[in-house]
Amino acid sequence: MTGMFQRRDGRLFAEEVALTDIAEAVGTPVYVNSANGMRQQARILQEAFAGQDVRICYAVKANHHLAVLRLFAGMGLGMDTVSGGEIARSIRAGCPPDRIVFAGIAKDDDEMRLGLQHGIYQFNVESVEELHRLDQVARAVGRRAPVALRVNPNVAAGGHDKISTGRKGDKFGVPLEDALEILTAADGMEGVEPVGLHCHIGSQIVELAPFETAYQRVIEAWRAIRAGGVALSRIDFGGGFGVRYQEPPRFRIPDYAAMVKRLTAGLGATVVLEPGRFLVAEQAVLLTRAIYLKQTADHRFLVLDAGMNTLIRPAMYGAWHDIEPVEGGRGDEAPTEVVGPICESSDFFARGRMLPRLEGGDLVAILQAGAYGSVMASDYNSRPGPAEVMVDGSQFDVITRRRPVELQFEDEVIPRWLG
Ligand SMILES: *Cc1c(COP(=O)(O)O)cnc(C)c1O
């Protein structure tokens, strides 16, 4: 067990609250978030970068809940957003617009206008086409958009093919060698103000080397563009810091901060960082109840009330999550297929996981569920999405109510002609 989720007298706790108490009060499946865990992660970054000109913008997509955004905004963090909806959420949660970065592969006119009207800190632009569009929209609104151009440093990194974003064939950003020409052109546009370069090479990166290689390339280009007469003042290195799933990352944040400091020394640039997973992944568990233990001739299936509609990472990325019985179990450990109730073979959490014998009714915690977990939940199979709780010391609150199936019906319309 790690961090804010510890076992006491055999029972699992989130901070000072027993998970059994949460299951009783709220039902299952439920995501249990640790407020102090999130604060601790933010502080690790803030302390590592103290004294450096660094802005930490939480990547909202990792967990966009208003309570999570409120917590981080209250600690002085900015927000890294990828849609108009995330900008709206960030503002609703109390983040000042001048701390909001708007990234994402395709922003439509309405989203651009929303960002412009609020006067956000920066637009991370991903293509020449988008740059021209932003210029047009900004002139129509009568604003000038601060722009960081997302470049592709051609570095392979990231814990999985689906979350690697900085290789030449990936859809993100423009080739590094085109940046000078594009930003020089941007400098002459009335609606945009080129302020920096941006890169984000992938997610769940567990070593320093790929970051360093990419940043060196981006810094070299940044210097060349400055020398070419474009007054850049910022450099945005994205996010992607790995967390512990099965194995801990092979670097620590202070080492990363020292590397950034060394590379950017004397540059005169404000550094922007966009960590998502690092801030939240290990700070929530998915609390679920076993419905059955199904024993076949050669397999033991533990069927949970959470499924791929609750946490899709194992099905989508083959991701590992630690799985723990909340109150221990019975007998020796044996290989167990931990699966959900959804009618898909990919609906599993772990295959052949060594677990003690559990039975229908037993509570199970799926760990490291805080990033890309509840945000990807759905009502698939008409199973209501999970409830969410936030624990803070000895208090907890429901932060997302369980949505009864009748609420799904409310958004659906049967056309009149069907009678
Ligand atoms: C997803 C994303 C992030 C956050 O990545 P993490 O791996 O969660 O830190 C940051 N920046 C951009 C542009 C992203 O798309």
Side-chain angles (χ1 to χ4, degrees), residues 185-222:
D187 216 14
M189 297 179 187
E190 208 182 304
V192 299
E193 179 195 5
V195 295
L197 289 181
H198 168 231
C199 71
H200 171 71
I201 56 174
S203 198
Q204 186 54 16
I205 299 169
V206 294
E207 303 194 77
L208 270 189
F211 287 119
E212 182 157 2
T213 306
Y215 296 178
Q216 276 168 336
R217 290 180 189 170
V218 174
I219 289 168
E220 195 186 323
W222 195 91

PDB file of all heavy atoms in Angstrom, residues 185-222:
ATOM      1  N   ALA A 185       6.258  33.919 -39.791  1.00  0.00           N
ATOM      2  CA  ALA A 185       5.015  34.341 -40.457  1.00  0.00           C
ATOM      3  C   ALA A 185       4.004  34.813 -39.414  1.00  0.00           C
ATOM      4  O   ALA A 185       3.331  35.834 -39.592  1.00  0.00           O
ATOM      5  CB  ALA A 185       4.451  33.195 -41.283  1.00  0.00           C
ATOM      6  N   ALA A 186       3.935  34.080 -38.292  1.00  0.00           N
ATOM      7  CA  ALA A 186       2.963  34.421 -37.246  1.00  0.00           C
ATOM      8  C   ALA A 186       3.239  35.816 -36.683  1.00  0.00           C
ATOM      9  O   ALA A 186       2.320  36.549 -36.306  1.00  0.00           O
ATOM     10  CB  ALA A 186       3.015  33.387 -36.124  1.00  0.00           C
ATOM     11  N   ASP A 187       4.507  36.177 -36.643  1.00  0.00           N
ATOM     12  CA  ASP A 187       4.911  37.466 -36.086  1.00  0.00           C
ATOM     13  C   ASP A 187       4.290  38.628 -36.863  1.00  0.00           C
ATOM     14  O   ASP A 187       4.068  39.704 -36.318  1.00  0.00           O
ATOM     15  CB  ASP A 187       6.446  37.570 -36.126  1.00  0.00           C
ATOM     16  CG  ASP A 187       6.988  38.315 -34.917  1.00  0.00           C
ATOM     17  OD1 ASP A 187       6.218  38.508 -33.955  1.00  0.00           O
ATOM     18  OD2 ASP A 187       8.160  38.708 -34.948  1.00  0.00           O
ATOM     19  N   GLY A 188       3.977  38.386 -38.112  1.00  0.00           N
ATOM     20  CA  GLY A 188       3.378  39.442 -38.931  1.00  0.00           C
ATOM     21  C   GLY A 188       1.860  39.438 -38.900  1.00  0.00           C
ATOM     22  O   GLY A 188       1.213  40.243 -39.570  1.00  0.00           O
ATOM     23  N   MET A 189       1.266  38.538 -38.128  1.00  0.00           N
ATOM     24  CA  MET A 189      -0.202  38.467 -38.107  1.00  0.00           C
ATOM     25  C   MET A 189      -0.755  39.342 -37.001  1.00  0.00           C
ATOM     26  O   MET A 189      -0.237  39.366 -35.890  1.00  0.00           O
ATOM     27  CB  MET A 189      -0.657  37.013 -37.886  1.00  0.00           C
ATOM     28  CG  MET A 189      -0.240  36.070 -38.997  1.00  0.00           C
ATOM     29  SD  MET A 189      -0.789  34.367 -38.624  1.00  0.00           S
ATOM     30  CE  MET A 189       0.011  33.484 -39.964  1.00  0.00           C
ATOM     31  N   GLU A 190      -1.854  39.995 -37.318  1.00  0.00           N
ATOM     32  CA  GLU A 190      -2.448  40.943 -36.378  1.00  0.00           C
ATOM     33  C   GLU A 190      -3.144  40.242 -35.208  1.00  0.00           C
ATOM     34  O   GLU A 190      -3.161  40.754 -34.095  1.00  0.00           O
ATOM     35  CB  GLU A 190      -3.509  41.729 -37.164  1.00  0.00           C
ATOM     36  CG  GLU A 190      -3.801  43.102 -36.695  1.00  0.00           C
ATOM     37  CD  GLU A 190      -4.901  43.666 -37.569  1.00  0.00           C
ATOM     38  OE1 GLU A 190      -4.735  43.696 -38.824  1.00  0.00           O
ATOM     39  OE2 GLU A 190      -5.940  44.037 -36.999  1.00  0.00           O
ATOM     40  N   GLY A 191      -3.676  39.038 -35.473  1.00  0.00           N
ATOM     41  CA  GLY A 191      -4.496  38.360 -34.453  1.00  0.00           C
ATOM     42  C   GLY A 191      -3.730  37.443 -33.532  1.00  0.00           C
ATOM     43  O   GLY A 191      -4.302  36.923 -32.576  1.00  0.00           O
ATOM     44  N   VAL A 192      -2.466  37.191 -33.826  1.00  0.00           N
ATOM     45  CA  VAL A 192      -1.709  36.297 -32.934  1.00  0.00           C
ATOM     46  C   VAL A 192      -0.389  36.933 -32.532  1.00  0.00           C
ATOM     47  O   VAL A 192       0.180  37.751 -33.260  1.00  0.00           O
ATOM     48  CB  VAL A 192      -1.430  34.905 -33.575  1.00  0.00           C
ATOM     49  CG1 VAL A 192      -2.715  34.185 -33.904  1.00  0.00           C
ATOM     50  CG2 VAL A 192      -0.540  35.018 -34.786  1.00  0.00           C
ATOM     51  N   GLU A 193       0.057  36.550 -31.351  1.00  0.00           N
ATOM     52  CA  GLU A 193       1.343  37.018 -30.848  1.00  0.00           C
ATOM     53  C   GLU A 193       2.176  35.789 -30.492  1.00  0.00           C
ATOM     54  O   GLU A 193       1.883  35.096 -29.518  1.00  0.00           O
ATOM     55  CB  GLU A 193       1.117  37.867 -29.585  1.00  0.00           C
ATOM     56  CG  GLU A 193       2.402  38.372 -28.981  1.00  0.00           C
ATOM     57  CD  GLU A 193       2.218  38.888 -27.555  1.00  0.00           C
ATOM     58  OE1 GLU A 193       1.107  38.772 -27.001  1.00  0.00           O
ATOM     59  OE2 GLU A 193       3.226  39.383 -27.005  1.00  0.00           O
ATOM     60  N   PRO A 194       3.191  35.467 -31.291  1.00  0.00           N
ATOM     61  CA  PRO A 194       3.989  34.285 -30.957  1.00  0.00           C
ATOM     62  C   PRO A 194       4.788  34.508 -29.683  1.00  0.00           C
ATOM     63  O   PRO A 194       5.542  35.480 -29.578  1.00  0.00           O
ATOM     64  CB  PRO A 194       4.927  34.116 -32.158  1.00  0.00           C
ATOM     65  CG  PRO A 194       4.827  35.344 -32.959  1.00  0.00           C
ATOM     66  CD  PRO A 194       3.681  36.169 -32.489  1.00  0.00           C
ATOM     67  N   VAL A 195       4.565  33.637 -28.701  1.00  0.00           N
ATOM     68  CA  VAL A 195       5.261  33.806 -27.414  1.00  0.00           C
ATOM     69  C   VAL A 195       6.175  32.639 -27.074  1.00  0.00           C
ATOM     70  O   VAL A 195       7.018  32.748 -26.189  1.00  0.00           O
ATOM     71  CB  VAL A 195       4.266  34.015 -26.247  1.00  0.00           C
ATOM     72  CG1 VAL A 195       3.496  35.306 -26.409  1.00  0.00           C
ATOM     73  CG2 VAL A 195       3.336  32.819 -26.103  1.00  0.00           C
ATOM     74  N   GLY A 196       5.993  31.491 -27.748  1.00  0.00           N
ATOM     75  CA  GLY A 196       6.839  30.372 -27.326  1.00  0.00           C
ATOM     76  C   GLY A 196       6.708  29.128 -28.177  1.00  0.00           C
ATOM     77  O   GLY A 196       5.984  29.093 -29.176  1.00  0.00           O
ATOM     78  N   LEU A 197       7.438  28.111 -27.750  1.00  0.00           N
ATOM     79  CA  LEU A 197       7.337  26.773 -28.336  1.00  0.00           C
ATOM     80  C   LEU A 197       6.752  25.843 -27.283  1.00  0.00           C
ATOM     81  O   LEU A 197       6.930  26.053 -26.084  1.00  0.00           O
ATOM     82  CB  LEU A 197       8.711  26.244 -28.758  1.00  0.00           C
ATOM     83  CG  LEU A 197       9.381  26.898 -29.966  1.00  0.00           C
ATOM     84  CD1 LEU A 197      10.725  26.224 -30.242  1.00  0.00           C
ATOM     85  CD2 LEU A 197       8.498  26.835 -31.207  1.00  0.00           C
ATOM     86  N   HIS A 198       6.086  24.800 -27.762  1.00  0.00           N
ATOM     87  CA  HIS A 198       5.463  23.812 -26.876  1.00  0.00           C
ATOM     88  C   HIS A 198       5.806  22.417 -27.380  1.00  0.00           C
ATOM     89  O   HIS A 198       5.863  22.198 -28.591  1.00  0.00           O
ATOM     90  CB  HIS A 198       3.940  24.004 -26.896  1.00  0.00           C
ATOM     91  CG  HIS A 198       3.161  22.894 -26.260  1.00  0.00           C
ATOM     92  ND1 HIS A 198       2.105  22.272 -26.898  1.00  0.00           N
ATOM     93  CD2 HIS A 198       3.270  22.301 -25.054  1.00  0.00           C
ATOM     94  CE1 HIS A 198       1.596  21.333 -26.083  1.00  0.00           C
ATOM     95  NE2 HIS A 198       2.284  21.338 -24.973  1.00  0.00           N
ATOM     96  N   CYS A 199       6.062  21.505 -26.480  1.00  0.00           N
ATOM     97  CA  CYS A 199       6.139  20.089 -26.867  1.00  0.00           C
ATOM     98  C   CYS A 199       5.514  19.256 -25.753  1.00  0.00           C
ATOM     99  O   CYS A 199       5.443  19.675 -24.607  1.00  0.00           O
ATOM    100  CB  CYS A 199       7.583  19.653 -27.127  1.00  0.00           C
ATOM    101  SG  CYS A 199       8.608  19.541 -25.641  1.00  0.00           S
ATOM    102  N   HIS A 200       5.012  18.113 -26.123  1.00  0.00           N
ATOM    103  CA  HIS A 200       4.495  17.136 -25.141  1.00  0.00           C
ATOM    104  C   HIS A 200       4.705  15.787 -25.804  1.00  0.00           C
ATOM    105  O   HIS A 200       4.030  15.461 -26.772  1.00  0.00           O
ATOM    106  CB  HIS A 200       3.012  17.384 -24.845  1.00  0.00           C
ATOM    107  CG  HIS A 200       2.387  16.298 -24.028  1.00  0.00           C
ATOM    108  ND1 HIS A 200       2.677  16.109 -22.703  1.00  0.00           N
ATOM    109  CD2 HIS A 200       1.510  15.307 -24.364  1.00  0.00           C
ATOM    110  CE1 HIS A 200       1.993  15.060 -22.241  1.00  0.00           C
ATOM    111  NE2 HIS A 200       1.279  14.563 -23.240  1.00  0.00           N
ATOM    112  N   ILE A 201       5.687  15.029 -25.309  1.00  0.00           N
ATOM    113  CA  ILE A 201       6.145  13.880 -26.100  1.00  0.00           C
ATOM    114  C   ILE A 201       5.443  12.575 -25.757  1.00  0.00           C
ATOM    115  O   ILE A 201       5.662  11.579 -26.435  1.00  0.00           O
ATOM    116  CB  ILE A 201       7.680  13.691 -25.973  1.00  0.00           C
ATOM    117  CG1 ILE A 201       8.109  13.543 -24.499  1.00  0.00           C
ATOM    118  CG2 ILE A 201       8.408  14.865 -26.630  1.00  0.00           C
ATOM    119  CD1 ILE A 201       9.582  13.201 -24.332  1.00  0.00           C
ATOM    120  N   GLY A 202       4.623  12.595 -24.730  1.00  0.00           N
ATOM    121  CA  GLY A 202       3.896  11.362 -24.411  1.00  0.00           C
ATOM    122  C   GLY A 202       3.536  11.326 -22.945  1.00  0.00           C
ATOM    123  O   GLY A 202       3.774  12.280 -22.217  1.00  0.00           O
ATOM    124  N   SER A 203       2.971  10.204 -22.534  1.00  0.00           N
ATOM    125  CA  SER A 203       2.485  10.074 -21.174  1.00  0.00           C
ATOM    126  C   SER A 203       3.109   8.845 -20.525  1.00  0.00           C
ATOM    127  O   SER A 203       3.567   7.942 -21.209  1.00  0.00           O
ATOM    128  CB  SER A 203       0.963   9.939 -21.215  1.00  0.00           C
ATOM    129  OG  SER A 203       0.406  10.207 -19.960  1.00  0.00           O
ATOM    130  N   GLN A 204       3.126   8.843 -19.189  1.00  0.00           N
ATOM    131  CA  GLN A 204       3.702   7.720 -18.428  1.00  0.00           C
ATOM    132  C   GLN A 204       5.141   7.463 -18.880  1.00  0.00           C
ATOM    133  O   GLN A 204       5.541   6.325 -19.174  1.00  0.00           O
ATOM    134  CB  GLN A 204       2.801   6.478 -18.546  1.00  0.00           C
ATOM    135  CG  GLN A 204       3.208   5.279 -17.693  1.00  0.00           C
ATOM    136  CD  GLN A 204       3.379   5.607 -16.213  1.00  0.00           C
ATOM    137  OE1 GLN A 204       2.936   6.630 -15.745  1.00  0.00           O
ATOM    138  NE2 GLN A 204       4.069   4.762 -15.478  1.00  0.00           N
ATOM    139  N   ILE A 205       5.943   8.522 -18.920  1.00  0.00           N
ATOM    140  CA  ILE A 205       7.367   8.420 -19.249  1.00  0.00           C
ATOM    141  C   ILE A 205       8.112   8.207 -17.933  1.00  0.00           C
ATOM    142  O   ILE A 205       7.943   8.978 -16.992  1.00  0.00           O
ATOM    143  CB  ILE A 205       7.849   9.696 -19.966  1.00  0.00           C
ATOM    144  CG1 ILE A 205       7.067   9.854 -21.273  1.00  0.00           C
ATOM    145  CG2 ILE A 205       9.357   9.638 -20.222  1.00  0.00           C
ATOM    146  CD1 ILE A 205       7.248  11.185 -21.945  1.00  0.00           C
ATOM    147  N   VAL A 206       8.915   7.140 -17.871  1.00  0.00           N
ATOM    148  CA  VAL A 206       9.500   6.746 -16.589  1.00  0.00           C
ATOM    149  C   VAL A 206      10.999   7.024 -16.502  1.00  0.00           C
ATOM    150  O   VAL A 206      11.625   6.717 -15.495  1.00  0.00           O
ATOM    151  CB  VAL A 206       9.213   5.265 -16.267  1.00  0.00           C
ATOM    152  CG1 VAL A 206       7.723   5.056 -16.040  1.00  0.00           C
ATOM    153  CG2 VAL A 206       9.721   4.351 -17.374  1.00  0.00           C
ATOM    154  N   GLU A 207      11.567   7.612 -17.566  1.00  0.00           N
ATOM    155  CA  GLU A 207      12.990   7.942 -17.528  1.00  0.00           C
ATOM    156  C   GLU A 207      13.207   9.387 -17.921  1.00  0.00           C
ATOM    157  O   GLU A 207      12.400   9.979 -18.648  1.00  0.00           O
ATOM    158  CB  GLU A 207      13.752   7.037 -18.484  1.00  0.00           C
ATOM    159  CG  GLU A 207      13.518   5.574 -18.147  1.00  0.00           C
ATOM    160  CD  GLU A 207      14.495   4.652 -18.845  1.00  0.00           C
ATOM    161  OE1 GLU A 207      15.635   4.596 -18.372  1.00  0.00           O
ATOM    162  OE2 GLU A 207      14.087   4.031 -19.832  1.00  0.00           O
ATOM    163  N   LEU A 208      14.323   9.934 -17.479  1.00  0.00           N
ATOM    164  CA  LEU A 208      14.627  11.331 -17.785  1.00  0.00           C
ATOM    165  C   LEU A 208      15.092  11.527 -19.227  1.00  0.00           C
ATOM    166  O   LEU A 208      14.845  12.571 -19.833  1.00  0.00           O
ATOM    167  CB  LEU A 208      15.749  11.834 -16.869  1.00  0.00           C
ATOM    168  CG  LEU A 208      15.374  12.456 -15.537  1.00  0.00           C
ATOM    169  CD1 LEU A 208      16.602  13.071 -14.895  1.00  0.00           C
ATOM    170  CD2 LEU A 208      14.289  13.511 -15.709  1.00  0.00           C
ATOM    171  N   ALA A 209      15.795  10.521 -19.766  1.00  0.00           N
ATOM    172  CA  ALA A 209      16.492  10.706 -21.045  1.00  0.00           C
ATOM    173  C   ALA A 209      15.609  11.224 -22.188  1.00  0.00           C
ATOM    174  O   ALA A 209      15.989  12.183 -22.862  1.00  0.00           O
ATOM    175  CB  ALA A 209      17.199   9.413 -21.441  1.00  0.00           C
ATOM    176  N   PRO A 210      14.428  10.630 -22.424  1.00  0.00           N
ATOM    177  CA  PRO A 210      13.624  11.141 -23.540  1.00  0.00           C
ATOM    178  C   PRO A 210      13.207  12.603 -23.352  1.00  0.00           C
ATOM    179  O   PRO A 210      13.188  13.377 -24.318  1.00  0.00           O
ATOM    180  CB  PRO A 210      12.395  10.228 -23.581  1.00  0.00           C
ATOM    181  CG  PRO A 210      12.509   9.282 -22.462  1.00  0.00           C
ATOM    182  CD  PRO A 210      13.831   9.430 -21.801  1.00  0.00           C
ATOM    183  N   PHE A 211      12.907  12.980 -22.095  1.00  0.00           N
ATOM    184  CA  PHE A 211      12.582  14.390 -21.832  1.00  0.00           C
ATOM    185  C   PHE A 211      13.769  15.265 -22.237  1.00  0.00           C
ATOM    186  O   PHE A 211      13.625  16.257 -22.942  1.00  0.00           O
ATOM    187  CB  PHE A 211      12.312  14.625 -20.342  1.00  0.00           C
ATOM    188  CG  PHE A 211      11.005  14.089 -19.838  1.00  0.00           C
ATOM    189  CD1 PHE A 211      10.975  13.118 -18.847  1.00  0.00           C
ATOM    190  CD2 PHE A 211       9.801  14.573 -20.323  1.00  0.00           C
ATOM    191  CE1 PHE A 211       9.778  12.634 -18.355  1.00  0.00           C
ATOM    192  CE2 PHE A 211       8.594  14.095 -19.833  1.00  0.00           C
ATOM    193  CZ  PHE A 211       8.587  13.113 -18.851  1.00  0.00           C
ATOM    194  N   GLU A 212      14.950  14.878 -21.757  1.00  0.00           N
ATOM    195  CA  GLU A 212      16.127  15.715 -21.965  1.00  0.00           C
ATOM    196  C   GLU A 212      16.446  15.856 -23.453  1.00  0.00           C
ATOM    197  O   GLU A 212      16.706  16.962 -23.938  1.00  0.00           O
ATOM    198  CB  GLU A 212      17.328  15.131 -21.196  1.00  0.00           C
ATOM    199  CG  GLU A 212      18.567  15.982 -21.337  1.00  0.00           C
ATOM    200  CD  GLU A 212      19.578  15.795 -20.204  1.00  0.00           C
ATOM    201  OE1 GLU A 212      19.340  14.968 -19.301  1.00  0.00           O
ATOM    202  OE2 GLU A 212      20.603  16.487 -20.243  1.00  0.00           O
ATOM    203  N   THR A 213      16.377  14.747 -24.182  1.00  0.00           N
ATOM    204  CA  THR A 213      16.643  14.790 -25.626  1.00  0.00           C
ATOM    205  C   THR A 213      15.655  15.734 -26.320  1.00  0.00           C
ATOM    206  O   THR A 213      16.044  16.590 -27.115  1.00  0.00           O
ATOM    207  CB  THR A 213      16.500  13.367 -26.229  1.00  0.00           C
ATOM    208  OG1 THR A 213      17.340  12.494 -25.495  1.00  0.00           O
ATOM    209  CG2 THR A 213      16.864  13.346 -27.689  1.00  0.00           C
ATOM    210  N   ALA A 214      14.386  15.575 -25.995  1.00  0.00           N
ATOM    211  CA  ALA A 214      13.361  16.411 -26.639  1.00  0.00           C
ATOM    212  C   ALA A 214      13.560  17.883 -26.276  1.00  0.00           C
ATOM    213  O   ALA A 214      13.515  18.763 -27.148  1.00  0.00           O
ATOM    214  CB  ALA A 214      11.973  15.944 -26.200  1.00  0.00           C
ATOM    215  N   TYR A 215      13.794  18.155 -24.987  1.00  0.00           N
ATOM    216  CA  TYR A 215      13.904  19.549 -24.548  1.00  0.00           C
ATOM    217  C   TYR A 215      15.118  20.226 -25.191  1.00  0.00           C
ATOM    218  O   TYR A 215      15.051  21.384 -25.583  1.00  0.00           O
ATOM    219  CB  TYR A 215      14.015  19.635 -23.016  1.00  0.00           C
ATOM    220  CG  TYR A 215      12.803  19.145 -22.252  1.00  0.00           C
ATOM    221  CD1 TYR A 215      12.801  19.138 -20.857  1.00  0.00           C
ATOM    222  CD2 TYR A 215      11.661  18.684 -22.909  1.00  0.00           C
ATOM    223  CE1 TYR A 215      11.700  18.689 -20.136  1.00  0.00           C
ATOM    224  CE2 TYR A 215      10.569  18.222 -22.190  1.00  0.00           C
ATOM    225  CZ  TYR A 215      10.590  18.219 -20.805  1.00  0.00           C
ATOM    226  OH  TYR A 215       9.509  17.763 -20.095  1.00  0.00           O
ATOM    227  N   GLN A 216      16.229  19.469 -25.298  1.00  0.00           N
ATOM    228  CA  GLN A 216      17.416  20.046 -25.941  1.00  0.00           C
ATOM    229  C   GLN A 216      17.090  20.475 -27.366  1.00  0.00           C
ATOM    230  O   GLN A 216      17.458  21.558 -27.800  1.00  0.00           O
ATOM    231  CB  GLN A 216      18.568  19.026 -25.956  1.00  0.00           C
ATOM    232  CG  GLN A 216      19.355  19.024 -24.657  1.00  0.00           C
ATOM    233  CD  GLN A 216      20.290  17.830 -24.543  1.00  0.00           C
ATOM    234  OE1 GLN A 216      20.076  16.793 -25.167  1.00  0.00           O
ATOM    235  NE2 GLN A 216      21.328  17.972 -23.736  1.00  0.00           N
ATOM    236  N   ARG A 217      16.378  19.625 -28.079  1.00  0.00           N
ATOM    237  CA  ARG A 217      16.022  19.950 -29.472  1.00  0.00           C
ATOM    238  C   ARG A 217      15.122  21.174 -29.523  1.00  0.00           C
ATOM    239  O   ARG A 217      15.280  22.051 -30.375  1.00  0.00           O
ATOM    240  CB  ARG A 217      15.321  18.761 -30.136  1.00  0.00           C
ATOM    241  CG  ARG A 217      16.277  17.613 -30.373  1.00  0.00           C
ATOM    242  CD  ARG A 217      15.597  16.422 -31.030  1.00  0.00           C
ATOM    243  NE  ARG A 217      16.537  15.303 -31.019  1.00  0.00           N
ATOM    244  CZ  ARG A 217      16.233  14.045 -31.327  1.00  0.00           C
ATOM    245  NH1 ARG A 217      15.003  13.746 -31.695  1.00  0.00           N
ATOM    246  NH2 ARG A 217      17.149  13.115 -31.285  1.00  0.00           N
ATOM    247  N   VAL A 218      14.167  21.231 -28.604  1.00  0.00           N
ATOM    248  CA  VAL A 218      13.226  22.353 -28.621  1.00  0.00           C
ATOM    249  C   VAL A 218      13.945  23.655 -28.240  1.00  0.00           C
ATOM    250  O   VAL A 218      13.715  24.710 -28.847  1.00  0.00           O
ATOM    251  CB  VAL A 218      12.034  22.077 -27.673  1.00  0.00           C
ATOM    252  CG1 VAL A 218      11.122  23.289 -27.567  1.00  0.00           C
ATOM    253  CG2 VAL A 218      11.258  20.864 -28.151  1.00  0.00           C
ATOM    254  N   ILE A 219      14.843  23.568 -27.280  1.00  0.00           N
ATOM    255  CA  ILE A 219      15.570  24.762 -26.849  1.00  0.00           C
ATOM    256  C   ILE A 219      16.463  25.293 -27.967  1.00  0.00           C
ATOM    257  O   ILE A 219      16.545  26.512 -28.201  1.00  0.00           O
ATOM    258  CB  ILE A 219      16.397  24.461 -25.572  1.00  0.00           C
ATOM    259  CG1 ILE A 219      15.449  24.294 -24.382  1.00  0.00           C
ATOM    260  CG2 ILE A 219      17.420  25.564 -25.297  1.00  0.00           C
ATOM    261  CD1 ILE A 219      16.109  23.716 -23.131  1.00  0.00           C
ATOM    262  N   GLU A 220      17.073  24.366 -28.689  1.00  0.00           N
ATOM    263  CA  GLU A 220      17.921  24.775 -29.815  1.00  0.00           C
ATOM    264  C   GLU A 220      17.089  25.548 -30.850  1.00  0.00           C
ATOM    265  O   GLU A 220      17.480  26.604 -31.329  1.00  0.00           O
ATOM    266  CB  GLU A 220      18.535  23.518 -30.431  1.00  0.00           C
ATOM    267  CG  GLU A 220      19.696  23.780 -31.370  1.00  0.00           C
ATOM    268  CD  GLU A 220      20.144  22.472 -32.045  1.00  0.00           C
ATOM    269  OE1 GLU A 220      20.123  21.427 -31.361  1.00  0.00           O
ATOM    270  OE2 GLU A 220      20.475  22.507 -33.230  1.00  0.00           O
ATOM    271  N   ALA A 221      15.931  25.024 -31.150  1.00  0.00           N
ATOM    272  CA  ALA A 221      15.044  25.702 -32.107  1.00  0.00           C
ATOM    273  C   ALA A 221      14.593  27.045 -31.540  1.00  0.00           C
ATOM    274  O   ALA A 221      14.531  28.056 -32.265  1.00  0.00           O
ATOM    275  CB  ALA A 221      13.840  24.812 -32.409  1.00  0.00           C
ATOM    276  N   TRP A 222      14.298  27.068 -30.261  1.00  0.00           N
ATOM    277  CA  TRP A 222      13.829  28.293 -29.587  1.00  0.00           C
ATOM    278  C   TRP A 222      14.884  29.404 -29.727  1.00  0.00           C
ATOM    279  O   TRP A 222      14.573  30.539 -30.067  1.00  0.00           O
ATOM    280  CB  TRP A 222      13.575  27.962 -28.120  1.00  0.00           C
ATOM    281  CG  TRP A 222      12.777  28.954 -27.325  1.00  0.00           C
ATOM    282  CD1 TRP A 222      11.420  28.960 -27.163  1.00  0.00           C
ATOM    283  CD2 TRP A 222      13.283  30.043 -26.543  1.00  0.00           C
ATOM    284  NE1 TRP A 222      11.049  29.989 -26.321  1.00  0.00           N
ATOM    285  CE2 TRP A 222      12.181  30.668 -25.931  1.00  0.00           C
ATOM    286  CE3 TRP A 222      14.558  30.552 -26.311  1.00  0.00           C
ATOM    287  CZ2 TRP A 222      12.297  31.776 -25.103  1.00  0.00           C
ATOM    288  CZ3 TRP A 222      14.685  31.656 -25.482  1.00  0.00           C
ATOM    289  CH2 TRP A 222      13.571  32.262 -24.885  1.00  0.00           C
TER     290      TRP A 222
END
